């Protein structure tokens, strides 16, 4: 790669399916005006990594393998970023953050294998349920059988897949139609290119609900096409079908022990190099090195890797200041609004009814539902996504109203037994102080064409990681791992 060309491998991040809440580490300042805190100790290292999610931990592992010293600073009191396990009791967990993996997500699978983390099927035998206009229909496969929108949806997926092949995977801003595509939202394009436009938009919003924590009106068409191009790997072109698929798709598998276990084992191997409860307040750099000041310690190093969501990076006190275009880009990358909701039952009763536990609902409180039970199926766990407009509506309501609405949607899909869980809980990612949204930062119109090439362009001795900067599977755990690998290579090369 020439020094003057920043590739898409150093760019974007989003997702279209239930695994979309990918593992990006989070560690930054509480506010842009926060005064730096005098740290109790000073550490010396070749490199300092900010963020102990999959991206930061992967970068640190690779630097240690190269024989270099590293310190990882994490704002939270845990590792894993946007992967997080919830304890169900009796040694069992379910995932309240990113969780799914599938074919072509080679880097996260390789990392899990290296750490001894096994997989189990993320899908279950049985039919899915599609709810629209008050009717619940059972169906097989990944595409809902909507009588109004199915024809439009099928041809639209084919067209978008084809258009994505004209987007350079490493540089979407270089596509011949990049300016025109970046000037319109997904919603605008769908309404101009489909017969039953309203229903087609509603169907796409089912997937964008969890994919970006938003809907089709939020996001640039070019951004969408760039992500589709990345739903594959170096040998397999990306497709929407792979992103939304269960068996053989992005929701193919889950990790035994929950997805957070990958970060936990990676951090355990790094030992004392990982410092928790260490929000970074200030980054100073000179021609010869960087000084990173956190609540726990100050680290002096040759270079830094910032592995946090782009919009959180602007809250750090930068000396010298973050260049205006770098700052402007990250302010144009808000995280989506997303929560996951869960109901626990003695057993996954829906399986006896021939249902997989997967459901989609037009106009529902919960637009997407999944069976999130442990590997042995005990207890039974139903999980749903409240993203975008659904989050904006229901997290302004009372906890009791929201719980009742969620369980009503579960019951419409799986029967009245769903109204009587033994436990109910939620994970609102907008309420996490070191995340403030989810699953990823998406780009609105005009952002890629004006600023996209800057996202991973180093700022002096500061380099960037995180799933938003990945080429393939941006927004997923795989994208986070890929970004950490790339950032480690970058600083070692520098």
């Amino acid at each position: 790669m020439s020094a003057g060309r920043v590739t898409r491998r150093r760019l974007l991040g989003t997702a279209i399916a239930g695994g979309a809440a990918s593992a990006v580490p989070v560690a930054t300042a509480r506010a842009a005006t926060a005064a730096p805190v005098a740290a109790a100790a000073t550490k010396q290292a070749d490199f300092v990594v900010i963020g102990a999610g999959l991206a930061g931990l992967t970068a640190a592992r690779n630097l240690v393998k190269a024989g270099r010293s590293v310190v990882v600073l994490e704002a939270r009191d845990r590792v894993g970023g946007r992967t997080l396990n919830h304890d169900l009791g009796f040694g069992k967990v379910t995932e309240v953050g990113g969780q799914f993996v599938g074919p072509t997500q080679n880097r996260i699978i390789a990392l899990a294998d290296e750490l001894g983390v096994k997989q189990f099927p993320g899908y279950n035998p049985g039919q899915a349920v599609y709810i629209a206009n008050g009717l619940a229909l059972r169906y097989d496969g990944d595409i809902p059988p909507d009588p109004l929108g199915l024809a439009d949806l099928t041809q639209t997926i084919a067209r978008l897949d084809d258009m994505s092949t004209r987007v350079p995977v490493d540089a979407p801003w270089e596509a011949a139609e990049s300016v025109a595509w970046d000037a319109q939202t997904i919603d605008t394009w769908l309404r101009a290119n489909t017969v039953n436009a309203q229903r087609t938009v509603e169907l796409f919003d089912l997937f964008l609900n969890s994919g970006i924590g938003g809907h089709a009106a939020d996001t640039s068409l070019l951004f969408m096409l760039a992500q589709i191009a990345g739903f594959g790997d170096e040998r397999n072109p990306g497709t929407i079908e792979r992103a939304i698929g269960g068996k053989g798709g992005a929701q193919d598998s889950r990790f035994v022990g929950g997805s957070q276990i990958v970060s936990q084992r990676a951090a355990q191997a790094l030992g004392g190099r990982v410092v928790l409860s260490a929000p970074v307040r200030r980054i100073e750099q000179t021609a010869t090195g960087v000084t990173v000041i956190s609540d726990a310690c100050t680290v002096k190093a040759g270079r830094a890797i910032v592995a946090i969501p782009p919009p959180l990076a602007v809250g750090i006190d930068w000396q010298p200041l973050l260049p205006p275009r770098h700052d402007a880009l990250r302010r144009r990358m808000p995280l989506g609004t997303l929560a996951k909701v869960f109901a626990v039952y003695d057993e996954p009763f829906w399986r006896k009814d021939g249902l997989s536990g997967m459901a989609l609902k037009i106009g529902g409180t919960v637009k997407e539902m999944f069976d999130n039970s442990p590997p042995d199926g005990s207890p039974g766990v139903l999980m749903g996504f409240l993203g975008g407009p659904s989050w904006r509506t229901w997290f302004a309501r009372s906890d009791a109203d929201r719980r009742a609405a969620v369980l009503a949607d579960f019951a419409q899909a799986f029967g009245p037994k769903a109204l009587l869980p033994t436990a109910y809980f939620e994970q609102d990612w907008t309420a996490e102080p070191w995340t403030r949204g989810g699953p990823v930062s998406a780009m609105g119109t005009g952002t890629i064409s004006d600023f996209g090439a800057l996202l991973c362009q180093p700022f002096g001795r500061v380099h960037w990681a995180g799933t938003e900067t990945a080429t393939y599977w941006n927004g997923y755990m795989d994208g986070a791992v890929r970004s950490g690998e790339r950032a480690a290579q970058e600083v070692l090369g520098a």
Side-chain angles (χ1 to χ4, degrees):
M1 181 194 313
S2 67
R5 183 172 181 268
V6 181
T7 69
R8 181 174 173 268
R9 187 174 305 279
R10 305 162 127 198
L11 180 62
L12 317 167
T14 191
I16 292 187
S22 80
V24 182
V26 282
T28 185
R30 288 194 178 96
T33 56
V37 175
T42 298
K43 298 176 179 287
Q44 299 277 351
D46 294 326
F47 303 108
V48 56
V49 176
I50 301 169
L54 283 170
L57 293 171
T58 297
R61 282 173 58 83
N62 286 12
L63 294 173
V64 170
K65 287 179 181 179
R68 310 303 290 274
S69 59
V70 63
V71 174
V72 182
L73 300 174
E74 167 57 46
R76 304 178 191 268
D77 60 0
R78 64 168 180 85
V79 299
R82 277 175 270 180
T83 58
L84 179 61
N85 291 345
H86 179 88
D87 185 6
L88 295 170
F90 303 101
K92 297 181 180 182
V93 301
T94 192
E95 307 93 332
V96 298
Q99 63 182 79
F100 293 114
V101 295
T104 75
Q105 296 185 16
N106 310 313
R107 303 316 305 150
I108 177 62
I109 292 172
L111 176 61
D113 287 346
E114 186 177 340
L115 294 169
V117 179
K118 297 181 179 180
Q119 302 172 51
F120 70 100
Y123 58 90
N124 295 286
Q127 292 183 302
V129 178
Y130 175 61
I131 304 169
N133 303 324
L135 298 176
L137 302 174
R138 294 186 176 209
Y139 69 99
D140 297 300
D142 299 314
I143 305 297
D146 187 279
L148 296 176
L150 182 58
D152 266 338
L153 181 63
T154 302
Q155 66 88 19
T156 299
I157 287 175
R159 286 191 64 185
L160 290 172
D161 281 348
D162 179 67
M163 291 165 66
S164 74
T165 65
R166 307 202 296 272
V167 176
V169 176
D170 286 337
W173 53 88
E174 293 183 1
E177 297 105 325
S178 63
V179 174
W181 287 343
D182 204 26
Q184 56 188 307
T185 65
I186 303 167
D187 185 284
T188 303
W189 185 87
L190 289 172
R191 293 184 187 279
N193 289 276
T194 56
V195 176
N196 195 326
Q198 181 58 37
R199 181 46 59 91
T200 307
V201 169
E202 289 173 338
L203 288 166
F204 263 82
D205 280 346
L206 291 177
F207 308 120
L208 297 174
N209 169 67
S210 63
I212 62 172
H215 56 162
D218 292 331
T219 307
S220 155
L221 174 62
L222 179 60
F223 183 84
M224 175 78 167
L225 294 173
Q227 308 324 303
I228 296 170
F231 291 136
D233 60 18
E234 292 81 357
R235 296 183 178 181
N236 300 277
T239 66
I240 294 177
E241 295 89 335
R242 185 180 292 114
I244 67 176
K247 184 177 181 180
Q251 284 68 240
D252 183 270
S253 302
R254 293 162 60 196
F255 290 123
V256 176
S259 55
Q260 191 187 5
I261 196 173
V262 179
S263 292
Q264 291 169 335
R265 290 190 179 180
Q268 184 178 24
L270 289 168
R273 300 178 183 90
V274 179
V275 182
L276 301 179
S277 300
V280 168
R281 307 299 183 180
R282 182 181 178 100
I283 297 178
E284 303 170 354
Q285 63 172 315
T286 66
T288 57
V290 297
T291 300
V292 178
I293 301 171
S294 79
D295 287 4
C297 61
T298 293
V299 182
K300 294 183 178 294
R303 290 182 180 270
I305 295 174
V306 177
I308 61 177
L312 298 188
V314 300
I316 296 173
D317 179 13
W318 294 88
Q319 295 296 327
L321 283 175
L322 195 64
R325 285 176 59 80
H326 280 264
D327 183 89
L329 167 64
R330 287 161 177 81
R331 293 183 188 277
R332 285 165 170 77
M333 297 182 66
L335 280 86
T337 51
L338 184 71
K340 294 176 78 172
V341 293
F342 300 81
V344 182
Y345 307 89
D346 290 333
E347 62 178 359
F349 59 85
W350 50 92
R351 297 183 186 179
K352 294 180 180 179
D353 294 334
L355 297 175
S356 68
M358 192 270 188
L360 300 173
K361 183 176 181 179
I362 295 286
T365 301
V366 184
K367 295 182 183 296
E368 302 161 274
M369 310 169 210
F370 293 86
D371 183 328
N372 233 52
S373 307
D376 64 358
S378 177
V381 181
L382 287 175
M383 177 271 286
F385 288 103
L386 269 66
S390 184
W391 177 93
R392 296 164 202 170
T393 297
W394 286 99
F395 274 84
R397 305 279 293 273
S398 72
D399 292 349
D401 284 350
R402 188 170 57 254
R403 181 184 187 275
V406 168
L407 294 180
D409 279 357
F410 285 169
Q412 189 175 11
F414 307 113
K417 291 181 181 179
L419 294 172
L420 301 172
T422 59
Y424 174 88
F425 57 94
E426 301 172 337
Q427 174 66 27
D428 180 9
W429 284 98
T430 71
E432 289 287 317
W434 305 113
T435 307
R436 301 312 307 269
V440 293
S441 298
M443 293 191 184
T445 56
T447 304
I448 295 177
S449 52
D450 283 348
F451 299 100
L454 293 168
L455 185 56
C456 284
Q457 185 181 89
F459 166 38
R461 290 178 168 268
V462 175
H463 300 251
W464 310 96
T467 194
E468 280 87 354
T469 71
T471 300
Y472 292 103
W473 292 107
N474 29 64
Y476 287 70
M477 293 184 287
D478 189 71
V481 173
R482 286 174 179 271
S483 78
E485 292 173 341
R486 185 262 307 154
Q489 291 176 349
E490 215 172 78
V491 297
L492 289 170

